Amino acid sequence: MCEEDGPKSTISFAMVIAGSIISIISISNNVLLFISLIRNNRCFKCYFHFILALCFFDIIISVCYMPVILVDSLKDWTKWIELARAWWPFFVYGLAMTHVCMTTACYILIAVAYERYLITVRSYMLKQFQKRRSWWCFACLAIGVLTKGGMLMELDVFPNEDPTCKNTVMEYYVDVTEITKSNWYGSIYKFWFRNIVTVFLPFFLLLLINLGIVLELRSQMKHAFGNRSRRRFSLRMQSRTNVRQATATMLFICVIYLISNVVNVFITAWEFVDLDSLTNRFLEEYMLSADLSSVLVVTACALRLPIYMLCNPELRKAVKKSFTHKSEHQQKMHQTFSLIAKILV
């Protein structure tokens, strides 16, 4: 008799629905920001270049959330065979694409923070780094493909050998392939290399870079306050303004990233220490943490635009300018058509 997997818990399903709603908001926010940046004349001449690339990958992550995560839950809940058959061929490719984009976006975020650090410390390396923004974006994509692209070889859809499973949602199932059973791939590459490069390294790199920014800003503030020139007051006010803007942006970015990845970092660390207890004693909690981690990722994508609008005057101005130009263009078009109508009449 075909044994079907039970549907996910109500909590898990609620998180998936919430994640789907948030992913729609994320798509809207990032498409809006992407259009605003691509219309800006300075897009490829400043750090907007990194933000544009980040928007692009955030859009892909958010778009893939529903077919990869939501449809998986719906087919288990509804036992809809047509939905399951549409989901099986897409799942492996959609999951791999999502993870490649997540890793790429993570390293682009690190590149944005590192450029800010170079600006803060007035490094001689800044100009060279800024000239190679496109190269750094491709490098981030290469890291994503190198670390997560292998998922296309690790997972596959297999037909269920039980004849009673035919014409049910268990007709096929997703499982790991033979390549994951090898020591060099399954243990060294998939477990050690991938987890270190995509989970632990970005987490602590971003933390250290932002900590460096804060310490440097504090040092500059003390130096400015100790300067007794005639411009002491203006320097003090300028320093305070710069500190508020840079620190607020840094804190929001860092906090959002930490919150969206803290569950993943914790579970990955647990996997390193005691994988058996997760898969045996705490399997339900393990599955819930995976759903929660996915929701937190799309939430971070959705919150980027509000953070930029709140903390970054340049990006706020770019978005508003895009809308203003659109409004002015529509007004000119309306005036033109009104004038044509008057002439004809």
Side-chain angles (χ1 to χ4, degrees), residues 2-172:
C2 183
E3 295 183 5
E4 295 187 3
D5 294 335
K8 294 185 177 182
S9 67
T10 305
I11 297 175
S12 177
F13 192 71
M15 282 196 293
V16 170
I17 295 299
S20 301
I21 296 171
I22 294 170
S23 69
I24 294 173
I25 297 172
S26 175
I27 293 169
S28 302
N29 287 354
N30 283 288
V31 167
L32 171 63
L33 185 57
F34 186 89
I35 293 173
S36 300
L37 291 176
I38 205 71
R39 287 177 174 177
N40 194 286
N41 295 329
R42 297 177 58 238
C43 181
F44 297 100
K45 299 176 182 178
C46 66
Y47 67 94
F48 286 4
H49 194 161
F50 282 140
I51 305 299
L52 182 73
L54 190 60
C55 278
F56 176 76
F57 290 108
D58 282 348
I59 291 169
I60 296 176
I61 293 167
S62 303
V63 167
C64 287
Y65 180 88
M66 285 186 285
V68 172
I69 307 297
L70 177 62
V71 175
D72 182 25
S73 298
L74 285 177
K75 74 174 181 60
D76 291 336
W77 272 76
T78 62
K79 308 299 181 185
W80 189 2
I81 182 62
E82 287 78 13
L83 185 63
R85 286 173 177 170
W87 177 81
W88 286 320
F90 171 81
F91 174 72
V92 175
Y93 297 99
L95 186 66
M97 184 187 303
T98 302
H99 278 269
V100 168
C101 291
M102 285 168 56
T103 302
T104 304
C106 175
Y107 276 92
I108 290 175
L109 187 59
I110 292 172
V112 174
Y114 184 64
E115 181 179 13
R116 176 62 195 171
Y117 174 77
L118 293 179
I119 294 171
T120 304
V121 300
R122 301 182 180 90
S123 173
Y124 70 94
M125 298 170 58
L126 176 62
K127 294 297 182 182
Q128 294 300 320
F129 183 86
Q130 291 175 332
K131 289 179 181 178
R132 293 175 171 83
R133 286 194 185 99
S134 296
W135 187 92
W136 286 113
C137 288
F138 283 113
C140 294
L141 178 59
I143 293 173
V145 173
L146 179 64
T147 55
K148 294 294 184 69
M151 295 180 73
L152 290 172
M153 301 183 295
E154 298 164 17
L155 298 172
D156 204 354
V157 179
F158 299 93
N160 201 318
E161 296 180 358
D162 189 341
T164 60
C165 291
K166 192 171 180 61
N167 295 323
T168 71
V169 292
M170 295 297 294
E171 186 176 21
Y172 290 87

Side-chain angles (χ1 to χ4, degrees), residues 299-322:
T299 301
C301 295
L303 289 175
R304 295 203 210 279
L305 178 60
I307 290 172
Y308 296 146
M309 295 294 287
L310 180 66
C311 302
N312 194 309
E314 278 192 291
L315 279 170
R316 183 166 61 243
K317 183 179 178 180
V319 174
K320 289 182 178 179
K321 187 177 180 180
S322 177

Side-chain angles (χ1 to χ4, degrees), residues 218-288:
R218 286 182 178 178
S219 175
Q220 291 179 8
M221 183 176 63
K222 290 179 181 179
H223 179 73
F225 286 174
N227 190 342
R228 298 183 178 275
S229 66
R230 282 184 248 177
R231 299 177 60 195
R232 178 180 177 184
F233 180 75
S234 62
L235 280 171
R236 180 181 297 180
M237 295 304 296
Q238 183 180 3
S239 296
R240 287 180 178 176
T241 302
N242 292 338
V243 168
R244 282 199 300 267
Q245 291 178 352
T247 304
T249 304
M250 180 280 302
L251 285 176
F252 273 118
I253 290 174
C254 189
V255 167
I256 292 300
Y257 178 84
L258 291 175
I259 292 175
S260 64
N261 285 273
V262 67
V263 175
N264 190 30
V265 171
F266 176 76
I267 295 299
T268 304
W270 196 338
E271 289 174 348
F272 272 88
V273 176
D274 189 6
L275 181 60
D276 291 336
S277 66
L278 274 176
T279 55
N280 295 322
R281 294 171 54 192
F282 303 102
L283 180 60
E284 185 176 351
E285 291 80 2
Y286 190 25
M287 296 297 101
L288 281 174

